[in-house]
Amino acid sequence: AQSVSQHNHHVILSEAASLELGCNYSYGGTVNLFWYVQYPGQHLQLLLKYFSGDPLVKGIKGFEAEFIKSKFSFNLRKPSVQWSDTAEYFCAVTLGGSYIPTFGRGTSLIVHP
Amino acid sequence: DAGVIQSPRHEVTEMGQEVTLRCKPISGHDYLFWYRQTMMRGLELLIYFNNNVPIDDSGMPEDRFSAKMPNASFSTLKIQPSEPRDSAVYFCASSFTGSNQPQHFGDGTRLSIL
């Protein structure tokens, strides 16, 4: 069965610092990749997704992610974080023929003002 | 678009009581998912439906949990009898068919069983 690993469980940054959250998956076939964000007390919402084309995907709020097939990775980046980026971030993967995503455990990001 | 609507937002009840969580998916979406989120286990998929039919309930923790989708615009997740370890946030999500389709989540129900 496929799995999704988010190696950073907790990340603490100061405002304006750069962010990179890791996501690795364990499937060698065609995949669709997603990053979701969950602000405190709210529901998960889509940040960005990749399913084909340019491996560098830009999402909302200045986030981007790069799909590196050879490394089975889809890391999330933001050059300069803000206090309002404090949230839980989830990576998710669907296989080419499946509609059911596998979610990672999530990374808790705290940004100090 | 009203989004996925869940009710209630919060539920506090005593163990042994029946709990019913409700979900209205986004109109036109043909997949509906129920998740449970806890600190210990993260986000767990409990069950999902396609065109109102339950497809996979292997994530339902035990027979005390049941879910129904009587029509395309309504689903329920029931726990009977409830236990303190069922305390969690329960999310409903819906999506269109397609492996590249994102899920749209409701605001969740925060359930506390005393």
Side-chain angles (χ1 to χ4, degrees):
Chain A
Q2 79 260 27
S3 65
V4 177
S5 297
Q6 293 183 241
H7 307 295
N8 316 104
H9 298 297
H10 301 279
V11 174
I12 301 174
L13 296 173
S14 298
E15 274 195 320
S18 64
L19 170 72
E20 181 159 2
L21 302 182
C23 173
N24 288 90
Y25 59 92
S26 62
Y27 181 72
T30 302
V31 293
N32 302 284
L33 301 153
F34 307 82
W35 275 99
Y36 290 84
V37 61
Q38 184 180 25
Y39 297 105
Q42 296 187 26
H43 60 272
L44 280 76
Q45 51 189 291
L46 183 69
L47 259 184
L48 49 79
K49 68 176 184 179
Y50 169 84
F51 55 92
S52 67
D54 188 343
L56 184 61
V57 180
K58 294 194 183 297
I60 60 172
K61 304 186 180 186
F63 286 90
E64 65 178 31
E66 186 174 12
F67 171 49
I68 303 180
K69 190 174 181 179
S70 61
K71 295 185 178 180
F72 300 93
S73 71
F74 189 56
N75 291 356
L76 182 70
R77 300 194 294 247
K78 186 170 184 179
S80 176
V81 294
Q82 301 173 316
W83 173 79
S84 57
D85 293 325
T86 293
E88 189 98 11
Y89 292 82
F90 293 89
C91 181
V93 177
T94 59
L95 305 183
S98 170
Y99 308 147
I100 311 308
T102 298
F103 281 85
R105 283 297 306 271
T107 297
S108 173
L109 171 66
I110 296 175
V111 180
H112 288 299
Chain B
D1 189 343
V4 176
I5 299 172
Q6 289 186 248
S7 64
R9 289 294 309 276
H10 303 273
E11 174 91 18
V12 181
T13 191
E14 293 185 345
M15 66 177 292
Q17 297 298 307
E18 178 178 291
V19 173
T20 300
L21 311 182
R22 297 173 177 81
C23 175
K24 176 179 168 56
I26 292 174
S27 177
H29 282 186
D30 39 19
Y31 277 83
L32 184 140
F33 306 81
W34 281 100
Y35 289 91
R36 178 172 68 177
Q37 186 179 37
T38 61
M39 291 287 290
M40 293 295 294
R41 293 197 179 90
L43 197 64
E44 301 173 274
L45 176 64
L46 300 178
I47 185 172
Y48 73 92
F49 296 82
N50 178 220
N51 292 324
N52 315 339
V53 177
I55 303 300
D56 185 352
D57 65 355
S58 59
M60 297 284 259
E62 43 197 281
D63 293 345
R64 298 184 297 105
F65 285 69
S66 63
K68 293 182 180 179
M69 192 166 184
N71 57 62
S73 58
F74 184 65
S75 177
T76 59
L77 177 68
K78 190 169 292 188
I79 308 173
Q80 167 62 17
S82 58
E83 297 182 4
R85 61 195 166 116
D86 301 332
S87 298
V89 181
Y90 290 82
F91 287 103
C92 176
S94 68
S95 72
F96 289 115
T97 296
S99 57
N100 62 357
Q101 293 297 319
Q103 296 189 331
H104 297 259
F105 286 79
D107 286 336
T109 295
R110 184 172 295 277
L111 178 63
S112 297
I113 308 297
L114 307 177

